[in-house]
Amino acid sequence: HSWSAQKLLDPLVIVGAEGSWIWDEDGNRYLDFSSQLMNVNIGHQHPKLIAAIKEQADTLATIAPFHANAARSEAARLIAEKAGGHLDMVFFTNGGAEANENAIRMAKLHTGRHKVFAMYRSYHGATAGSISLTGDPRRWPSEPALPGVIHFWGPYPYRSAFNSTSPADETAKALQHLEDTLMVEGPHTVAAIILEPVVGTNGILVPPPGYLAGVRELCDQHGILLIADEVMAGFGRCGEWFSIQHWDVEPDLICFAKGVNSGYVPLGGVVISRAVADTFGDRPYPGGLTYSGHPLACASAVASIRIFEEEALVERARRMGDEVAGPALRKLAETHPAIGDVRGLGLFWALELVRDRETREQLVPFNASGPAAAPVAEVVAACRKQGLLVFAHFNRIHVVPPLVISEDDFAHGVSILDDALTLADAHVA
């Protein structure tokens, strides 16, 4: 089991799922407020997606990636169409970590440079290169890591590293910090800046206005590629096909996985701009995977995108965020002093828990474990006891249900959260 001390595990044994619900071997039902790992965007067991996988298995279950196949071609066409602009080629992988690995390889080969900038508050995957890009403590056990990775502080208005006084001030100071870091590292040595347009596991940090456009401008100024890691925030999660589109910023490479087919079959990839793709027009791209462009996975992506379109899930996520999730979670903050901040877009939200709203002292310390992490663990356990599965990281509870969740089910989940958060309130000074 991932990220776990094996002798301490007591996992739920899940035997079934449908829509926004899963159930265990004892018949206990759980509302999935985490979309598993923020990936089951179209919900569990969507019949049209299951049917598409079965149909593809009857037609062509597998084929080597040096052959073309209809499912891969159509998936690539649809994904590039949703990315728009100059992003019109796709390299398929088996997941998000491999997508990030290949994106930085492409950037280095395209630019002839060796450094990659990544944020401290980030997670980019657990393969050797992707964990090096990762800014949070999950990187530490794998160090020494990939050389040439430089970490920098991104914007976080609630806990500003720059002592900012407003979102505009945070944007200006965060961009100045990035520009200064580029200056001392030598921008001519930097191949790419990789970032999650909306930071996922490390806080669901929505960038203040102007920040991503400013990063794009710095990249253009120095010939650096901008890589958008949309593995978690993409495919409707933030109310856009890709979250960076919320700010009308076009990256050079987009990494995707998770929501592209809701994890029904392992799939990820890189959407590539024409300029980068042309680098490998007459020279081989030195990378590949046995299951790249796997027919079952690509067929599931095609079916998933069609479901998104037919059910208007991108638009639905945007509306749910504006009219349902945001208001409901902000209302929770009015009655729970442990909630210091509420932030998000679409159906991608975080409640940041504190001991004191004035000082913003975290409910649990950074990277806490064991007894120090108990105040948040208690909230998670109380939710689970009442049939709600939530994702927690450090001092935050993330609210990221499937995009198909009904308003009634969302309200039911919030009511359970409302009850469980009284445990956090007990720790408030």
Side-chain angles (χ1 to χ4, degrees), residues 279-301:
T279 301
F280 308 105
D282 296 312
R283 60 185 278 202
Y285 173 64
L289 302 152
T290 300
Y291 303 122
S292 178
H294 194 283
L296 294 182
C298 288
S300 69

Side-chain angles (χ1 to χ4, degrees), residues 66-313:
F66 48 76
H67 298 295
N69 68 82
R72 182 171 72 173
S73 297
E74 182 64 1
R77 184 188 72 79
L78 289 171
I79 293 166
E81 179 183 274
K82 302 310 179 188
H86 297 94
L87 294 148
D88 62 0
M89 295 284 284
V90 177
F91 179 81
F92 285 110
T93 66
N94 303 317
E98 292 172 345
N100 288 325
E101 288 270 357
N102 282 278
I104 62 170
R105 182 182 299 166
M106 291 173 187
K108 290 178 178 181
L109 291 168
H110 176 73
T111 62
R113 303 172 181 179
H114 68 284
K115 291 181 183 176
V116 178
F117 273 42
M119 290 183 181
Y120 276 111
R121 294 186 183 93
S122 67
Y123 180 72
H124 294 290
T127 53
S130 295
I131 202 67
S132 301
L133 300 171
T134 291
D136 79 20
R138 283 172 285 186
R139 180 186 78 252
W140 300 347
S142 299
E143 292 177 324
L146 185 74
V149 175
I150 309 298
H151 287 100
F152 66 97
W153 292 106
Y156 185 178
Y158 186 69
R159 296 191 181 278
S160 175
F162 316 109
N163 299 310
S164 67
T165 57
S166 67
D169 191 30
E170 181 77 353
T171 290
K173 289 178 176 177
L175 288 173
Q176 187 62 57
H177 162 70
L178 177 55
E179 186 172 6
D180 290 345
T181 309
L182 283 169
M183 176 183 68
V184 295
E185 287 292 338
H188 63 287
T189 68
V190 179
I193 296 174
I194 185 170
L195 51 76
E196 300 166 273
V198 178
V199 173
T201 309
N202 281 269
I204 306 189
L205 305 177
V206 180
Y211 179 74
L212 292 174
V215 176
R216 174 75 271 180
E217 186 176 336
L218 283 172
C219 287
D220 291 341
Q221 180 181 340
H222 297 293
I224 298 168
L225 297 189
L226 177 57
I227 304 173
D229 178 353
E230 294 274 0
V231 170
M232 192 174 288
F235 285 94
R237 178 56 61 187
C238 292
E240 304 287 347
W241 283 101
F242 295 102
S243 66
I244 199 167
Q245 294 168 338
H246 185 82
W247 295 274
D248 292 323
V249 174
E250 184 177 312
D252 300 289
L253 299 163
I254 294 177
C255 301
F256 67 88
K258 292 187 184 288
V260 65
N261 65 349
S262 292
Y264 282 42
V265 182
L267 181 66
V270 186
V271 195
I272 310 164
S273 65
R274 172 54 51 186
V276 176
D278 285 347
T279 301
F280 308 105
D282 296 312
R283 60 185 278 202
Y285 173 64
L289 302 152
T290 300
Y291 303 122
S292 178
H294 194 283
L296 294 182
C298 288
S300 69
V302 172
S304 177
I305 291 171
R306 289 174 179 161
I307 290 166
F308 267 94
E309 293 172 336
E310 292 168 3
E311 300 183 12
L313 292 183

